[in-house]
Amino acid sequence: MHLLPSLAGPPEDPTRFIPLLIVIGLAFVIPVLLARFKRLPVVVGEIFFGVIVGPSLLGWVTEGTILNFMSDIGLAFLMFLAGMEIEFDLIFGGQKKRKDEPNILLSSLLIYGASLVLAVLGGLAVQRIGIHGDVWLLAFVLSATSLGVLLPILKERELLPTPFGQLIFLTAMLADFITVILLTIYLIVLDKGFDVQVFSLSLLFIAFFIFYRVGPGFVRLPRVRNLIQRLSSATVQIKVRGAITILIAFVVMAEFLDAELILGAFLAGMIISLIKRPEDDGLVHNLEAFGFGFFIPIFFIMVGVGLDIQALLSSPNLLVALPGFLVIAAVIKLIPMLAVKRHFSWRDLFAGSFLLNTHLSLEVAVAVIGLRAGLFDQATSTTVIVFAVLTVLLMPLLFSLLAPKAPEKAEPYTLIIGTSKLGLTVAQQLRAHGDQIWFMLCGDEEKRMLDEEGFPYLPVGIDQLGELDPAELRTVLILHDDDLGNLELSKQARQIGVEAVIARVQDPQHLPKFDAEGVKTFSPALERATMVSMMARNPNILALMTTTSDERASVEMTVRQWEVDGKQLRDLDLPGDLLVLAVRRKGQLLIPRGGFSFKLGDRVSLLGGHEELGEARRLFEG
């Protein structure tokens, strides 16, 4: 018995979801099958199995309305996540560099610009060896780089923080960003001619600029921030919904402007990259899970379904031309690297050029778009995709053989400025904890004292503080008696990028100046009373804080979770073996009792075991 009335129209085809089931099933099975081949990107397997189930072999899956639509969403998500990889701090951060290091931004622009010029010549050369297609599209393929393949390799090798890693990464970012823009402009000009349509593309960038200028300030308004935090539960996920709304909005705008959806999606990803905050790592994880877990695999499998292997096999000249294609691409990436020859070895240059010669996401998109626009025939589109897959298989392997070794990480040390009785006592206690301690000299008398105590000192004076490498500094302790002198040294330490700067302040009236610089302070006039009051509540507090046992530690955390905002200390589910020492709020040091209420932004000092501190960090910071 049918409880629902039958709908007008012909019955739906009961088999219409079978191709989707096959594709989704492959998306689940492929990573399992490739688990043993850790160096083989999953997307290569997705394209390969797409060929198997597609018309070229088994014919189980063909292009249809549902799969084509979901494939387009997958392409949009792919470019959206690529846009999120753009790090504007790296591009415009004005990084401090040593004299023997290249200017990362200028060098990257030079390398990419030279690659683009050579890629145009390379497109002509590729045509000469038998791969026919639009020269400019071939140039875009040759000049681009797969950021999604390159970034994990640099991270795995721990090369990303090095000048070499930054140069390669920034060059790849520029290649992704500029290629998407040039591709979109070229397709519009080719279709419409050089008319007002080209300038209408600026509307996308105007929308991007509006989001960039208004978005961060809007989401940081107290009421908006509290609302977002309250709606960021597992069932609502308001941040994810907002990010996807921005993605679709820019895709729709791009479609209305007759631009390729990849530009709109890429700009949407850049917006998220600009407005997200450090605590939004969960948002990035959720978006990646949403994209790579569902839509993006559909896109790559459908790329394989759309490949006409027969067309490639029936053109032996294309198969013969593939090695030439690879050689041309390698030359295009190697020659521009010569611009930084005086900063790196030949081994580094070859390794970097090989890694920049990985082609996948954007290049596959160019092949698909070229086929749809009639700028590539089926055989050429297939050849470009096969070329991209080969670079992903070969180039990381060649890079691994030649790649520079990651620099050995020096153990971070604590720098003490001020060889007073206090400084020496602090150094002795830190050394008892196993910390590495260095002093900065001010004169011969200090040198004699340090030699007697057996403490090392740097071969530079305080006037050369700005030349130190902040990556090697765990903490800078400034313990002179001169408040203003300590303030100036604190500013210098913060300017070179040292996060943890602690200064001694004699006069409490100077505390706001230090707080404005982000410097943590120790004021004897205030801290002695604070310590006595804490000991009154817990007589063992001093012994706990000064123990040299590695099983306990004292750390500071910032309240970032809205669930903690307004909650009293007695109501927090803190581990039993954990002590809340103090709370710093807007320059005031507060001693919390059971009825103390926390607020967002509070800096909480805690003492406890490593496991208990980990639980507390999840509670306060997420």
Side-chain angles (χ1 to χ4, degrees):
M1 179 177 180
H2 296 287
L3 299 179
L4 295 176
S6 60
L7 299 176
E12 296 286 356
D13 180 7
T15 66
R16 70 188 189 278
F17 284 113
I18 291 180
L20 177 60
L21 175 61
I22 293 173
V23 171
I24 295 299
L26 282 175
F28 171 74
V29 170
I30 289 170
V32 178
L33 296 177
L34 298 183
R36 293 185 178 181
F37 307 96
K38 294 182 179 180
R39 293 190 176 275
L40 185 65
V42 174
V43 296
V44 174
E46 290 166 350
I47 294 173
F48 175 75
F49 279 93
V51 172
I52 292 177
V53 300
S56 293
L57 292 176
L58 299 179
W60 293 350
V61 178
T62 58
E63 295 182 350
T65 304
I66 295 176
L67 284 175
N68 285 346
F69 173 74
M70 297 182 77
S71 177
D72 284 343
I73 296 295
L75 175 59
F77 246 104
L78 185 67
M79 301 313 299
F80 175 65
L81 295 176
M84 287 175 56
E85 295 283 3
I86 301 298
E87 297 187 8
F88 289 89
D89 289 341
L90 182 59
I91 299 177
F92 301 112
Q95 311 96 321
K96 181 180 176 62
K97 69 182 188 70
R98 297 174 180 174
K99 294 179 181 179
D100 59 338
E101 293 177 2
N103 184 302
I104 302 298
L105 177 57
L106 291 180
S107 298
S108 299
L109 285 169
L110 180 61
I111 291 172
Y112 173 69
S115 297
L116 184 60
V117 173
L118 291 172
V120 176
L121 301 176
L124 294 171
V126 167
Q127 283 189 333
R128 293 293 297 272
I129 64 174
I131 300 176
H132 300 294
D134 185 84
V135 171
W136 288 100
L137 285 194
L138 290 173
F140 294 145
V141 168
L142 290 168
S143 64
T145 296
S146 178
L147 189 60
V149 175
L150 176 146
L151 181 58
I153 293 174
L154 289 177
K155 285 184 176 179
E156 181 184 354
R157 286 268 179 168
E158 298 182 347
L159 291 171
L160 196 57
T162 67
F164 174 81
Q166 290 186 11
L167 177 71
I168 300 301
F169 179 48
L170 184 51
T171 303
M173 282 201 303
L174 292 172
D176 260 11
F177 177 51
I178 300 176
T179 300
V180 169
I181 295 174
L182 293 178
L183 172 65
T184 304
I185 293 174
Y186 176 66
L187 292 173
I188 291 177
V189 171
L190 199 65
D191 184 42
K192 305 289 185 179
F194 196 81
D195 61 6
V196 70
Q197 181 72 31
V198 176
F199 298 101
S200 66
L201 193 64
S202 62
L203 295 176
L204 268 178
F205 292 94
I206 292 174
F208 170 82
F209 182 76
I210 291 173
F211 268 88
Y212 167 58
R213 296 297 298 176
V214 176
F218 177 74
V219 299
R220 290 169 190 168
L221 291 173
R223 290 186 178 179
V224 176
R225 184 180 60 200
N226 291 336
L227 177 64
I228 290 175
Q229 291 288 355
R230 193 163 59 251
L231 295 178
S232 294
S233 63
T235 56
V236 179
Q237 293 290 349
I238 196 67
K239 292 183 180 180
V240 175
R241 298 186 188 197
I244 295 176
T245 300
I246 293 174
L247 163 63
I248 300 302
F250 271 82
V251 167
V252 170
M253 282 190 284
E255 293 282 310
F256 267 105
L257 296 172
D258 285 336
E260 287 295 330
L261 66 84
I262 61 174
L263 178 60
F266 196 83
L267 290 175
M270 290 170 59
I271 287 174
I272 302 301
S273 175
L274 284 165
I275 67 175
K276 69 181 176 68
R277 305 179 70 184
E279 59 266 30
D280 290 331
D281 288 341
L283 167 64
V284 176
H285 174 75
N286 290 337
L287 290 172
E288 288 179 343
F290 196 64
F292 287 110
F294 186 63
F295 286 109
I296 294 175
I298 294 177
F299 167 71
F300 280 115
I301 292 172
M302 291 307 296
V303 166
V305 168
L307 287 183
D308 189 348
I309 299 298
Q310 297 298 327
L312 181 61
L313 296 177
S314 62
S315 304
N317 60 311
L318 291 178
L319 292 174
V320 173
L322 266 175
F325 201 169
L326 290 168
V327 171
I328 292 171
V331 172
I332 288 171
K333 295 297 185 181
L334 175 60
I335 293 177
M337 291 293 291
L338 298 177
V340 291
K341 172 64 183 72
R342 68 189 184 94
H343 300 289
F344 302 103
S345 67
W346 281 106
R347 188 185 183 96
D348 294 344
L349 297 184
F350 274 99
S353 66
F354 285 137
L355 194 57
L356 286 171
N357 202 23
T358 51
H359 303 272
L360 192 59
S361 305
L362 180 56
E363 295 79 348
V364 170
V366 172
V368 172
I369 292 169
L371 180 62
R372 292 177 182 174
L375 301 174
F376 286 163
D377 58 26
Q378 183 67 64
T380 299
S381 178
T382 301
T383 303
V384 170
I385 293 174
V386 171
F387 158 78
V389 169
L390 287 176
T391 62
V392 171
L393 295 175
L394 295 176
M395 299 305 166
L397 178 61
L398 293 174
F399 172 79
S400 297
L401 295 175
L402 297 174
K405 293 182 179 180
E408 294 185 5
K409 291 184 177 179
E411 182 183 352
Y413 63 90
T414 296
L415 177 64
I416 298 180
I417 304 176
T419 316
S420 59
K421 184 177 180 180
L422 173 63
L424 291 172
T425 303
V426 169
Q428 290 167 352
Q429 293 190 7
L430 290 175
R431 185 165 60 181
H433 280 278
D435 292 356
Q436 186 177 1
I437 308 297
W438 287 79
F439 277 84
M440 182 166 276
L441 292 176
C442 291
D444 293 337
E445 181 62 22
E446 288 189 343
K447 181 179 178 181
R448 184 189 62 78
M449 293 174 61
L450 294 174
D451 287 337
E452 291 178 355
E453 296 291 336
F455 284 110
Y457 44 83
L458 298 178
V460 296
I462 58 175
D463 57 333
Q464 296 170 294
L465 177 61
E467 298 181 8
L468 298 181
D469 185 355
E472 299 177 359
L473 288 167
R474 175 187 286 119
T475 309
V476 174
L477 301 177
I478 305 172
L479 304 177
H480 286 308
D481 293 332
D482 179 12
D483 286 358
L484 296 181
N486 287 351
L487 179 61
E488 184 59 34
L489 290 171
S490 299
K491 290 180 179 179
Q492 293 181 33
R494 293 288 292 161
Q495 285 172 358
I496 66 172
V498 180
E499 291 294 329
V501 180
I502 302 174
R504 181 182 185 182
V505 182
Q506 297 286 97
D507 186 349
Q509 292 183 354
H510 292 148
L511 289 174
K513 298 178 182 178
F514 287 85
D515 287 337
E517 299 294 332
V519 177
K520 296 176 175 61
T521 55
F522 166 73
S523 180
L526 298 177
E527 312 301 344
R528 282 180 293 186
T530 300
M531 181 57 68
V532 172
S533 64
M534 286 195 296
M535 290 183 68
R537 295 179 58 226
N538 187 342
N540 296 320
I541 183 66
L542 188 59
L544 289 172
M545 293 180 67
T546 57
T547 179
T548 58
S549 170
D550 289 335
E551 297 178 358
R552 304 181 66 82
S554 176
V555 300
E556 185 177 79
M557 303 175 188
T558 302
V559 177
R560 294 197 177 100
Q561 294 296 310
W562 68 270
E563 294 92 343
V564 180
D565 187 29
K567 213 165 191 179
Q568 293 184 349
L569 176 59
R570 64 167 62 96
D571 297 328
L572 289 181
D573 188 20
L574 289 172
D577 190 21
L578 191 72
L579 183 63
V580 180
L581 301 176
V583 176
R584 185 174 291 276
R585 177 183 295 165
K586 295 182 179 179
Q588 291 184 322
L589 189 67
L590 309 174
I591 306 302
R593 301 181 183 275
F596 178 85
S597 296
F598 291 92
K599 292 184 179 181
L600 289 174
D602 283 351
R603 302 200 321 242
V604 186
S605 297
L606 301 106
L607 176 70
H610 297 300
E611 184 176 344
E612 291 79 7
L613 289 172
E615 294 182 31
R617 189 173 297 280
R618 287 188 288 273
L619 174 66
F620 287 115
E621 297 184 345

